[in-house]
Amino acid sequence: MAGQTDPDLSIFSSAEVEFLAENEVVEIVPNMRMEKLEMISGDFGPFLPQIVTKVPLWLAVALKKRGKCMIRLPEWMTVERLTKVLEAERESPREFQPLPFHYVEISRLLFDHARDDIPDIYMVRNLVEDIRDVRFHKVETGLETISGRTHAVKLKNLSAMEVNIVRPFVMRALQAFYKHDSPEMIPQPDVNGSKRQQVANHGPRRDLRPR
Amino acid sequence: MSYWEDEDPLVASTIPDVERLKRAWRNEKAAPEIFQFQAELVQRAREQVQLQEDNITVMQAEGTDDLTLSLYQMDLDRTLFLLRSYLRTRLHKIEKYMIHISKTELWDRLSEHEQGFVKRCTDAFEDHLEQSVLSHLPYGYQSILKQSISSEEDDMVPEPKLDAFVFCRSKGTIGAFQLDETGEEIVDLVEDDLYVLRYKSIKALVETGQIDLV
């Protein structure tokens, strides 16, 4: 079935991550009347012209596609806020700024379907792309610190799509280090061997984000 | 059914079933081993789907506008996707580890239908291997479970890798958490932070619903 992923790596496909992001709530301003929708995923509406209401993103996009509403730009997506986030991302080389867990997918869906509802769309788009680039660069630098002593990695504020991208690599790398470092893998407990074992067991936890 | 029992029943009852299903689906997809089948949840989701299908038919007959109908249909399709993907993800795991599952306590985590599937699947698999390979091998190498007759354990049975690393997010602040038996590996689990940890060490937290796999 389309959208299903290779279960061996237990990765979510980007379509599946987008599916999850579409459940995030946004505000819309309808231009028509429609009764309350009593759905499996919850009750939404009633919809009245010019009255702001909250709906999941998939519903907002569906209405938007039919010209039935405008989508309000989430606060974090304004030029002002994004500029600040970008600055902060650049200033702290090891920390990730708090953004919505699905910021990549949400912004992408809005760029694709609600262009006319986003003031300064080119700037907003550039800012989001720059933020993504800076963050991803940090992720890559952070990955270099993974070693045999890594038994836990902390990724504060990493977003869903970023997790999805690094998942296969991180999982395999950690797995490989873990496997080759485990005491059973070190055959003869000679002097050197036991030393190595000690190091392996007592090593400090390495964060992607050292404290 | 230990998923949500730690939660305040009042709070728990306000979590919509779709949310629970989404969570069960995510965890099932991300974990190396199979979880307890969410029988009641799946049953409720099925009933809701059925009810909504009936509602849509009634609305169609009443001449409800196309827009409203299409929105209801989308909502229905999204729920159906979750439900199918949840069941399918389980089937993938079951196919992969069927012999291991039928020999261990994992067996009790399957639904009745899934257990039937394991039996049929194992039979077909054994017949096939028997005919195509095992019957042509010399004596002592014909077991489906063992490499040779000298193996003490069943060493040809794939098992889920419980020490695989998983991405997870803590739902509340758990505090210092011990990752290994010796207590040398300790991680401070803070609410909403993301971690990559060995599945084995946080297995219990996933089962009680304190941590979500992502």
Side-chain angles (χ1 to χ4, degrees):
Chain A
M1 180 181 165
Q4 286 274 338
T5 43
D6 176 4
D8 288 351
L9 277 173
S10 68
I11 310 171
F12 296 85
S13 69
S14 12
E16 284 166 338
V17 180
E18 193 176 289
F19 175 85
L20 292 169
E22 283 171 342
N23 286 330
E24 297 290 313
V25 172
V26 289
E27 288 185 341
I28 59 163
V29 184
N31 57 20
M32 50 41 167
R33 269 169 202 281
M34 190 165 61
E35 278 178 42
K36 189 159 110 178
L37 299 169
E38 292 173 3
M39 296 180 155
I40 303 179
S41 44
D43 294 352
F44 308 108
F47 301 87
L48 298 164
Q50 305 312 317
I51 307 291
V52 178
T53 184
K54 289 183 178 176
V55 294
L57 192 52
W58 65 266
L59 190 54
V61 169
L63 287 172
K64 179 72 194 174
K65 274 187 188 164
R66 293 165 177 79
K68 302 291 184 192
C69 74
M70 72 157 271
I71 301 177
R72 278 199 166 183
L73 197 65
E75 241 171 73
W76 61 267
M77 263 183 83
T78 55
V79 172
E80 196 193 342
R81 288 284 286 275
L82 288 175
T83 313
K84 277 190 190 149
V85 170
L86 181 59
E87 270 170 29
E89 289 288 0
R90 286 193 170 134
E91 271 164 24
S92 48
R94 295 184 184 280
E95 268 177 56
F96 297 95
Q97 296 306 306
L99 276 170
F101 190 53
H102 289 290
Y103 86 96
V104 177
E105 305 89 301
I106 295 173
S107 59
R108 180 61 195 267
L109 283 164
L110 293 181
F111 293 146
D112 285 354
H113 301 288
R115 303 177 63 88
D116 50 334
D117 294 339
I118 308 174
D120 309 313
I121 179 159
Y122 289 105
M123 258 172 99
V124 173
R125 190 193 277 263
N126 281 340
L127 280 166
V128 172
E129 273 171 21
D130 287 350
I131 291 172
R132 278 181 67 171
D133 288 349
V134 176
R135 287 170 65 105
F136 205 74
H137 180 73
K138 278 188 230 181
V139 174
E140 283 176 343
T141 329
L143 290 181
E144 288 170 16
T145 66
I146 289 184
S147 74
R149 282 175 239 164
T150 314
H151 59 258
V153 180
K154 181 169 170 170
L155 300 155
K156 193 176 162 71
N157 293 334
L158 204 67
S159 81
M161 203 54 101
E162 287 155 353
V163 166
N164 221 36
I165 292 170
V166 298
R167 189 196 314 263
F169 178 79
V170 172
M171 278 183 16
R172 286 205 180 121
L174 286 173
Q175 198 61 45
F177 275 123
Y178 177 67
K179 191 172 140 196
H180 295 297
D181 235 38
S182 72
E184 301 104 77
M185 288 295 290
I186 300 165
Q188 252 131 43
D190 54 29
V191 186
N192 285 336
S194 57
K195 244 186 199 166
R196 257 174 65 203
Q197 204 168 317
Q198 286 238 320
V199 172
N201 285 338
H202 295 273
R205 176 166 66 98
R206 285 219 182 158
D207 278 356
L208 272 190
R209 186 187 67 103
R211 20 194 68 205
Chain B
M1 305 287 287
S2 56
Y3 249 45
W4 286 276
E5 71 188 8
D6 59 307
E7 287 171 15
D8 180 346
L10 276 176
V11 178
S13 65
T14 61
I15 301 174
D17 284 337
V18 195
E19 278 305 308
R20 291 159 185 266
L21 191 57
K22 201 170 82 186
R23 183 155 161 235
W25 172 69
R26 273 166 91 137
N27 282 344
E28 198 68 75
K29 266 185 102 72
E33 66 171 347
I34 196 155
F35 285 116
Q36 175 67 47
F37 181 65
Q38 299 288 304
E40 288 166 32
L41 180 60
V42 167
Q43 180 60 28
R44 287 201 302 271
R46 281 206 167 116
E47 283 165 11
Q48 287 171 16
V49 164
Q50 184 61 46
L51 190 70
Q52 204 69 325
E53 279 173 346
D54 294 348
N55 282 345
I56 291 177
T57 321
V58 171
M59 282 191 274
Q60 255 165 346
E62 284 173 348
T64 308
D65 62 296
D66 287 351
L67 175 66
T68 313
L69 280 176
S70 71
L71 295 176
Y72 273 111
Q73 190 62 48
M74 280 179 81
D75 175 56
L76 185 62
D77 289 344
R78 290 177 65 85
T79 314
L80 277 172
F81 168 78
L82 266 187
L83 197 54
R84 289 191 185 125
S85 188
Y86 172 69
L87 297 174
R88 218 180 280 256
T89 305
R90 292 181 60 88
L91 285 184
H92 272 298
K93 282 189 198 170
I94 292 174
E95 269 185 42
K96 204 165 157 193
Y97 305 120
M98 52 190 173
I99 297 178
H100 175 71
I101 288 176
S102 52
K103 287 195 312 177
T104 56
E105 78 286 351
L106 293 178
W107 179 253
D108 299 328
R109 296 187 177 185
L110 307 191
S111 72
E112 229 175 273
H113 290 303
E114 286 169 342
Q115 291 179 344
F117 174 75
V118 171
K119 283 182 193 142
R120 290 193 303 278
C121 202
T122 317
D123 285 347
F125 180 66
E126 280 175 0
D127 279 354
H128 168 66
L129 274 187
E130 188 65 48
Q131 282 171 24
S132 57
V133 185
L134 294 174
S135 59
H136 305 294
L137 293 180
Y139 170 79
Y141 295 92
Q142 293 180 340
S143 165
I144 190 170
L145 303 175
K146 295 176 182 182
Q147 290 197 32
S148 75
I149 208 161
S150 58
S151 304
E152 280 169 21
E153 286 169 11
D154 295 343
D155 49 6
M156 291 290 278
V157 178
E159 290 176 21
K161 292 190 196 76
L162 296 186
D163 49 15
F165 282 82
V166 290
F167 283 72
C168 58
R169 194 160 55 157
S170 174
K171 294 212 297 182
T173 298
I174 293 168
F177 184 75
Q178 200 172 313
L179 293 179
D180 59 349
E181 290 88 27
T182 55
E184 279 159 0
E185 301 177 357
I186 287 176
V187 68
D188 192 19
L189 295 175
V190 181
E191 181 167 3
D192 253 0
D193 273 2
L194 261 171
Y195 302 90
V196 192
L197 302 169
R198 278 200 308 284
Y199 173 73
K200 197 160 60 178
S201 51
I202 53 148
K203 185 171 141 70
L205 294 178
V206 180
E207 281 166 359
T208 54
Q210 287 170 281
I211 226 175
D212 275 344
L213 302 182
V214 290

